[in-house]
Amino acid sequence: MFNLLREKFMKAAEKIKEKIYKKGEAEEVKKEEKVETKEEKKIEEKKEVKEEKSKGMSFFDRFKITRTIKRVIKKEVVIVEEDIEDILEELELELLEADVALEVVEKMIDSIKKELVGKKISPDDNVEEIVYNAVKNSILNILSREKIDLEEIIQKNRKEGKPTVIVFVGINGTGKTTSIAKLAYKLKNKGYSVVLAAGDTFRAGAIEQLEEHAKRIGVKVIKQKPGADAAAVIYDAIQHAKAKKIDVVLADTAGRQATNINLMDEIKKVVRVTKPDLVIFVADALTGNDAIFQAEEFNKAVGIDGVILTKVDADAKGGAAISIGYAIGKPILYLGVGQRYEDLIEFSPDFIIKKIFGEEDIKFSTEREF
Amino acid sequence: MLEKLSENLNKAINKIKNAMFVDKKLIKEVVKDIQRALIQADVNVKLVLKITKEIERRALEEEPPKGFSKKEHIIKIVYEELVKLLGEEAKPLKIEPGRRNVIMLVGIQGSGKTTTAAKLAKYLKKKGYRVGLIAADTYRPAAYEQLKQLAEKIDVPIYGDLSKKPEDIVKEGLNKFKNVDVVIIDTAGRHKEEKGLLEEMKRIKEISNPDEIMLVIDGTIGQQARVQAKAFKDAVGEIGSIIVTKLDGSAKGGGALSAVAETKAPIKFIGTGEKIDDFEEFDPKKFISRLLGLGDL
């Protein structure tokens, strides 16, 4: 998923670096024998990299390897805006193509510019590292580092003898019901008891869909008739969980557009009445610039604690993950990566950084359970 | 819906309207504004560059026709290029009288196929056609139940059988609905990485020999719209038309425009809400003039 972003950042960093060397009248310097053998080895490595492009190598490693022959800057260089303008403009377009929202792209480009423009680079400086850090910081700056440990919350609540209540919200068709089923499956496998609340009382077939999942996973659903009050259904489920000492209540809600005032009022009421431990916003990774708007509006209405990003297996480029993180400053907890119950993987800002600057890409299954 | 895109495009248009005189610098500035507006609306970046380049070229090279000022001409160019992007004329859905027409709905998970199937059925029923629905999604739990509930609401017959394979459901369903005017087949959601499912979709197409395959696209989809639309087109040979859903929200629908450009299929309907009547025919010219705040041209 972050493969593409990695390529884009890598390319831009490479170009900036070249520019700096050119400006500093870089020249090839051959040092002692010892270095030369090292160089040969590096040239070989470079070949391998070309053949086996992005496999198993970190951003920085690959970045360094392109420096097959140690280059130095002869005289001090000051980077001016014109030096990197074109490169950053290209990067801007490429990030947009990777579904990073315009607002976020501009922020990233700005951050790289701020860090590099006006910077004096002397012959003693490590050019690679300076450029690499500027690029990396542009991403770190927009990612939140807040963390949520779901199991910790569940265990703490369990000690206090109460269930952990999680309400899922989001626009239509992003994958709330399916994500609930996957999370229930995950939690059950970890030894927690789970009950589902059929709080989508509106969409045709929604209750039946949740029931079918519950049957397959082996958990109970608390439901009422279609059209019932969503808050009441979830409240019932919480009472049930309290009585039966069940660890977790996962509450489904109907999909709603953030522009629909009535439905947003309804979800506010649901959260007010049920007082969940966590409100999870479910977002579709294929979403473009709308991701930011949706996340912001739901956050304003009900206060999002975390995000599940779905349909990542559909070749999403990772832009939505970065954009949503930026928009609400809340962590993405899980990625939905397929049509099986186990296709839910844990996620964190470190995970993004590792995926962009680290080694391999995520692998997905195309098998289908539902 | 689409307020933000409209607002941003209007700003660009107003820049032309309010300019003292039109020069190269102004045109470049306006083109940049339009680029930004379209990219923010999720139109494919390459597509944006292509059309804005064309707008720039025409604005710089073309002489305004008689009776038009340079300013008016440029606004007209923007309008024309955007309309071109959407496929020019409105192309309403054609139902051949006197025989059974088959429509097959395809799309990514959660794009809104099932709800759209019911909306389309109601739309056609209102026009006096006899309609039958086939529920060929056997994967998603309660997909059949969902369509059944919707079908009951609009009083349209439905065929589905959870014990059968999608291909067999379609076969049986077509046998059952011999004497209707239109059969609408709802299929399971799938995406371009799910090769097996794309194959299955192809088989359903071969069995049902549809008169029209409609691609249902989520209005919020971003830059992935183009490649996804291409995968669907490649699998079934041809996409006849596109339905853009969820345009009642904050989505700007630009991703759908990219799908239009990729598949060369026109948008025929848009979904504007969850209720079965939230469904409109689509007219590119009206749509763009509304977007640009031009009124009817």
Side-chain angles (χ1 to χ4, degrees), chain A residues 156-356:
Chain A
K156 185 175 156 270
N157 280 334
R158 187 197 255 169
K159 261 182 216 144
E160 291 168 22
K162 58 184 185 188
T164 300
V165 180
I166 308 177
V167 170
F168 291 72
V169 301
I171 79 158
N172 316 67
T174 57
K176 282 177 293 301
T177 310
T178 306
S179 297
I180 286 172
K182 287 176 179 175
L183 187 58
Y185 176 84
K186 190 181 259 312
L187 290 173
K188 199 180 168 227
N189 280 349
K190 287 192 171 178
Y192 301 105
S193 51
V194 180
V195 63
L196 308 183
D200 181 353
T201 54
F202 178 76
R203 180 173 61 85
I207 297 171
E208 289 84 352
Q209 185 183 354
L210 198 65
E211 278 184 309
E212 180 62 32
H213 278 306
K215 204 169 81 192
R216 294 187 199 176
I217 302 165
V219 297
K220 195 174 159 66
V221 181
I222 301 297
K223 59 161 187 175
Q224 287 178 21
K225 286 211 173 61
D229 180 33
V233 177
I234 300 169
Y235 189 81
D236 277 0
I238 298 171
Q239 296 313 312
H240 173 86
K242 277 181 182 161
K244 303 268 166 163
K245 299 241 174 299
I246 290 171
D247 295 323
V248 188
V249 178
L250 300 179
D252 198 7
T253 65
R256 65 200 76 226
Q257 298 292 339
T259 48
N260 188 325
I261 297 165
N262 290 338
L263 291 182
M264 290 308 273
D265 281 344
E266 187 204 70
I267 194 71
K268 277 187 208 165
K269 184 191 150 198
V270 166
V271 170
R272 203 169 53 232
V273 170
T274 60
K275 297 185 185 66
D277 296 274
L278 292 174
V279 175
I280 289 187
F281 175 65
V282 180
D284 181 335
L286 295 171
T287 310
N289 280 280
D290 201 45
I292 283 203
F293 179 85
Q294 289 174 21
E296 276 173 346
E297 290 303 304
F298 273 93
N299 194 33
K300 253 188 259 163
V302 291
I304 299 168
D305 298 297
V307 179
I308 292 181
L309 198 63
T310 63
K311 305 183 206 173
V312 168
D313 54 317
D315 195 23
K317 301 293 184 214
I322 293 179
S323 303
I324 290 173
Y326 160 77
I328 53 172
K330 294 288 154 53
I332 293 173
L333 302 178
Y334 298 98
L335 298 179
V337 295
Q339 317 289 326
R340 301 174 306 169
Y341 289 109
E342 64 207 82
D343 289 332
L344 187 73
I345 56 180
E346 274 169 49
F347 189 79
S348 68
D350 298 340
F351 183 95
I352 304 187
I353 291 296
K354 244 188 235 152
K355 288 298 163 196
I356 294 179

Side-chain angles (χ1 to χ4, degrees), chain B residues 63-112:
Chain B
E63 280 301 315
K66 264 208 177 85
F68 276 91
S69 71
K70 182 89 187 157
K71 284 184 194 176
E72 286 165 334
H73 185 53
I74 294 175
I75 294 169
K76 191 165 160 275
I77 290 171
V78 174
Y79 166 80
E80 282 174 1
E81 289 303 319
L82 290 175
V83 168
K84 214 190 267 174
L85 184 71
L86 281 173
E88 318 254 1
E89 297 300 322
K91 295 190 181 79
L93 178 63
K94 280 212 181 70
I95 301 298
E96 288 266 342
R99 69 168 175 89
R100 187 183 65 188
N101 294 255
V102 176
I103 295 172
M104 175 175 165
L105 299 181
V106 300
I108 301 171
Q109 288 90 345
S111 54

Side-chain angles (χ1 to χ4, degrees), chain A residues 96-97 99 106 172 203-205 208-209 257 259 286 288-290 293 311 313-315 317 339 368 370, chain B residues 36 39-40 42 46 109 141-142 146 149 189 191-192 197 220 222-224 228 246 248-250 274:
Chain A
L96 288 168
E97 281 192 307
D99 276 323
E106 282 173 347
N172 316 67
R203 180 173 61 85
E208 289 84 352
Q209 185 183 354
Q257 298 292 339
T259 48
L286 295 171
N289 280 280
D290 201 45
F293 179 85
K311 305 183 206 173
D313 54 317
D315 195 23
K317 301 293 184 214
Q339 317 289 326
R368 190 154 192 167
F370 49 76
Chain B
R36 226 186 114 90
I39 285 175
Q40 213 158 11
D42 294 321
K46 292 212 172 69
Q109 288 90 345
Q146 182 184 0
Q149 287 175 15
H191 60 71
K192 77 178 184 65
L197 286 175
T220 68
Q223 295 292 323
Q224 285 293 298
Q228 293 287 351
K246 306 183 200 174
D248 53 319
S250 47
E274 287 181 89

Side-chain angles (χ1 to χ4, degrees), chain B residues 78-190:
Chain B
V78 174
Y79 166 80
E80 282 174 1
E81 289 303 319
L82 290 175
V83 168
K84 214 190 267 174
L85 184 71
L86 281 173
E88 318 254 1
E89 297 300 322
K91 295 190 181 79
L93 178 63
K94 280 212 181 70
I95 301 298
E96 288 266 342
R99 69 168 175 89
R100 187 183 65 188
N101 294 255
V102 176
I103 295 172
M104 175 175 165
L105 299 181
V106 300
I108 301 171
Q109 288 90 345
S111 54
K113 283 175 297 305
T114 306
T115 306
T116 300
K119 286 178 175 181
L120 185 61
K122 169 120 194 247
Y123 166 88
L124 291 167
K125 196 183 171 214
K126 253 188 177 164
K127 294 216 151 186
Y129 296 110
R130 286 164 301 165
V131 186
L133 283 163
I134 298 179
D137 179 357
T138 55
Y139 299 99
R140 184 163 56 93
Y144 173 53
E145 191 60 36
Q146 182 184 0
L147 194 58
K148 204 172 97 186
Q149 287 175 15
L150 293 169
E152 274 162 15
K153 223 186 237 171
I154 56 173
D155 195 21
V156 163
I158 177 172
Y159 178 79
D161 185 341
L162 286 175
S163 65
K164 291 198 172 100
K165 278 200 305 188
E167 292 96 319
D168 295 333
I169 294 172
V170 171
K171 234 183 256 171
E172 285 291 309
L174 288 172
N175 274 337
K176 196 177 169 226
F177 294 126
K178 278 208 168 104
N179 296 314
V180 300
D181 301 306
V182 190
V183 173
I184 302 167
I185 305 171
D186 181 26
T187 63
R190 63 202 82 214

